Amino acid sequence: MTTTVRPPRATATRPPLDRWEPEDPAFWAATGAGVARRNLIFSVLSEHIGFSVWSLWSVLVLFLGPEYGIDPAGKFVLTAVPTLFGAALRIPYTFAVAVFGGRNWTVVTALALLLPTLLTAYVLEPGVSYTTLLCVAAVAGIGGGNFASSMANINAFYPQHLKGRALGVNAGGGNLGVPAVQLLGLLVLATAGAGHPRLVPLLYVPLIVLAAVAAALRMDNLPALRNDRGALREAARQPHTWVMSLLYIGTFGSFIGFGFAFGQVLLVQFAADFPTAVSAAYLTFLGPLLGSLARPVGGAMADRWGGARVTFWNFTAMAAGALLVFVASRAGSLPLFLTGFVALFLFSGFGNGSTYKMIPGIFHARAERETAAGADPAGASNRSRRRASAVIGIAGAVGALGGVLVNIAFRQSFLTEGSGDAAYLAFLAYYVLCLVLTWGVYLRRGAA
C-alpha cells in the first residue's frame, strides 16, 4: 500500500519557505511557479483595495456640494493630501517587508485600511470643518503605501525573465482599484444620491477584512527578504535610482494625479457639459480603467523589446497626448479633450509597466558584469534583487509625488488663468524631458 504525503494546508501560521531559487528552472517548474502565482493573486487583492482606499477622495469630492462650503481649489487640495501621505509611506512600507515578512506585512497593511474607511464614514457630513476633512483625507494615504510593499514582495518571487509581466500584473491589478472606487461612487450617486457619501467607504469594510484573512491563510514569507534591511542606503547611492524616480513621476505620477483630478477638471473646465457630479462620474472611471489594464501589457512589451525602448516611445506618445489636450482646451472641444486625456491615461499605464521592468533589468545587468569580473554569482544575484527592491520603493515614493504635483498644477492653473492650459503645457514639457532622459541614459550609443 502506498501512502501519499500531501503538503499541509495553508494556515495563518504558514512558516517561511526554506528555499527560494526562482532562477533555477527545475525549482521553478516543480515548486516556484505555483507558489509565486498564489502569492501574486492575493497580493493583487490586497493592493487593489489599498488603491481604492487611497483614491476615495477622488470620488468623495464629487459628493461635496455647496452645503460643505468648499471651492474647486480646496477640492484639488483634498485630493492632493492623500497622494502626498501615500507617497511618504512607500519607503518605510517597502522595507517593512524585510522586517516582518511579506505575508505578515500584507495582513497588517490590509487591516490598517479599516482606519481611513471608518474614520471617513464617521466625519463626512455637512458642517464638518475643512481642517477635519484634510486630516481624514491624509489618513487615506495609508492605502498608497501598500503598493510599494506589495511590489517589493512580488519582485522577490519571480525570475528575471518574468518580472515585467509579474510586476505589471501586480501593479495593474492594484491600479484597478482607482476605477473600481470611482464606479462604486457612481453607483452610490446614481442610486442613493449625493447625500449619502458614507456608503462608499463603508462598502469597503468587509472587503478589507476578506483581504486580510486571505493574505494570512494563503501567502508566504520569503526568508531571503530578511537580508534587505540595509538596501536603502545602497540604493540611495545609485544614480539610476534617481533617474528611474524621475521617469516614474512621468508615468505613475501622471496616472494617479489624473485619476484623482480628472472629475474635478471636467466639472470646472466644462461646467456647461457636466452640470452635476453624476454626469462627470460617468466618464471619470474610463481613463484609470484603461491605464490599469495597460500596465501589465506595458510590462510584457518591456520583457520582449526592452524596458528603455518601450519607455522612450511611450513618453513620445504621452507628449503627443498632452499637446492634444492643450489644443482641445484652447478650442473648447470636449470630444478632442476626452480623446487626449484617455490617451494620457492609456500611455501612463503602458509606461508604468515598462519603467518598473527597467528597474530589475538595470541591476540584473550589473550583476552579470560583476559575475563576469569574477564575483560570486549567487552573491551578485542577491545584491541585484536587494537593490532592485529598494529602488522600487524609492521610485514608487518619488513617482507618487508626481500625483501631488499634478493636482497642485491644476489648482494653480485654474486659480490664475481659469483653465488648465498652463498645467497641460507643464505636463508636455515634463514628458519631453523624460523621453530625452530615457534616450540619453539608456538608449544612445555607449549609454548605460
Side-chain angles (χ1 to χ4, degrees):
M1 179 177 178
T2 302
T3 302
T4 301
V5 179
R6 299 182 181 276
R9 290 179 60 83
T11 67
T13 58
R14 180 191 296 275
L17 298 168
D18 293 328
R19 174 183 175 231
W20 191 255
E21 299 177 14
E23 301 295 344
D24 180 346
F27 173 83
W28 182 253
T31 304
V35 173
R37 189 180 306 113
R38 170 165 45 77
N39 279 268
L40 176 60
I41 290 170
F42 293 101
S43 174
V44 167
L45 174 63
S46 178
E47 188 191 342
H48 175 93
I49 297 172
F51 259 94
S52 292
V53 172
W54 193 24
S55 307
L56 267 175
W57 286 90
S58 71
V59 174
L60 294 178
V61 292
L62 301 179
F63 288 83
L64 304 182
E67 65 273 18
Y68 286 87
I70 304 173
D71 62 12
K75 291 180 181 180
F76 278 120
V77 174
L78 274 176
T79 56
V81 165
T83 315
L84 176 63
F85 279 80
L89 287 174
R90 285 187 163 193
I91 291 178
Y93 266 53
T94 298
F95 299 100
V97 173
V99 176
F100 301 105
R103 180 202 67 208
N104 300 344
W105 187 244
T106 302
V107 173
V108 171
T109 55
L111 290 175
L113 297 174
L114 291 172
L115 179 61
T117 49
L118 294 175
L119 196 58
T120 301
Y122 178 72
V123 306
L124 200 56
E125 61 181 357
V128 62
S129 71
Y130 183 65
T131 301
T132 300
L133 291 180
L134 283 175
C135 293
V136 173
V139 178
I142 290 173
N146 288 20
F147 171 84
S149 56
S150 177
M151 294 293 277
N153 187 41
I154 292 303
N155 178 60
F157 274 96
Y158 278 85
Q160 179 64 33
H161 70 284
L162 294 177
K163 285 184 187 291
R165 290 175 176 82
L167 293 175
V169 169
N170 191 57
N175 290 172
L176 281 170
V178 180
V181 73
Q182 291 174 345
L183 279 171
L184 182 61
L186 172 61
L187 178 64
V188 172
L189 278 170
T191 55
H196 297 83
R198 291 173 168 172
L199 290 176
V200 181
L202 287 176
L203 287 171
Y204 273 96
V205 171
L207 298 177
I208 291 169
V209 175
L210 172 64
V213 172
L217 296 177
R218 300 297 292 158
M219 292 186 72
D220 299 277
N221 294 318
L222 284 184
L225 287 174
R226 297 289 184 177
N227 299 320
D228 286 3
R229 301 180 193 183
L232 178 61
R233 289 188 298 274
E234 295 178 32
R237 293 193 292 265
Q238 301 290 329
H240 290 293
T241 299
W242 306 109
V243 174
M244 292 309 304
S245 295
L246 289 173
L247 298 183
Y248 202 57
I249 287 175
T251 57
F252 180 76
S254 295
F255 172 84
I256 199 66
F258 295 154
F260 280 27
F262 189 44
Q264 278 300 299
V265 170
L266 290 177
L267 287 174
V268 175
Q269 185 151 354
F270 293 92
D273 297 285
F274 300 99
T276 65
V278 176
S279 59
Y282 278 110
L283 290 173
T284 53
F285 76 93
L286 179 61
L289 175 63
L290 293 175
S292 301
L293 294 176
R295 184 157 190 164
V297 178
M301 291 168 64
D303 279 339
R304 182 172 181 179
W305 291 301
R309 187 174 292 109
V310 174
T311 298
F312 173 83
W313 288 110
N314 187 80
F315 276 123
T316 303
M318 291 185 73
L323 180 60
L324 180 60
V325 167
F326 173 74
V327 170
S329 175
R330 299 285 291 182
S333 172
L334 178 60
L336 202 60
F337 185 85
L338 292 175
T339 301
F341 244 110
V342 167
L344 283 175
F345 274 112
L346 183 65
F347 288 109
S348 71
F350 282 127
N352 282 339
S354 64
T355 50
Y356 254 39
K357 165 63 179 178
M358 289 173 69
I359 293 172
I362 288 167
F363 293 101
H364 178 70
R366 175 168 294 182
E368 289 183 331
R369 291 196 297 270
E370 291 176 358
T371 300
D376 172 54
S381 177
N382 186 52
R383 285 192 296 274
S384 167
R385 183 193 54 74
R386 292 175 69 240
R387 290 167 178 166
S389 294
V391 174
I392 283 173
I394 294 173
V398 177
L401 288 175
V404 181
L405 297 176
V406 165
N407 281 273
I408 296 301
F410 277 130
R411 179 182 183 275
Q412 288 304 118
S413 185
F414 282 113
L415 275 177
T416 58
E417 296 189 359
S419 74
D421 292 352
Y424 307 139
L425 287 177
F427 304 150
L428 171 60
Y430 194 82
Y431 300 148
V432 171
L433 170 65
C434 286
L435 71 87
V436 171
L437 193 61
T438 304
W439 177 83
V441 178
Y442 299 112
L443 288 179
R444 66 178 174 82
R445 188 183 300 275

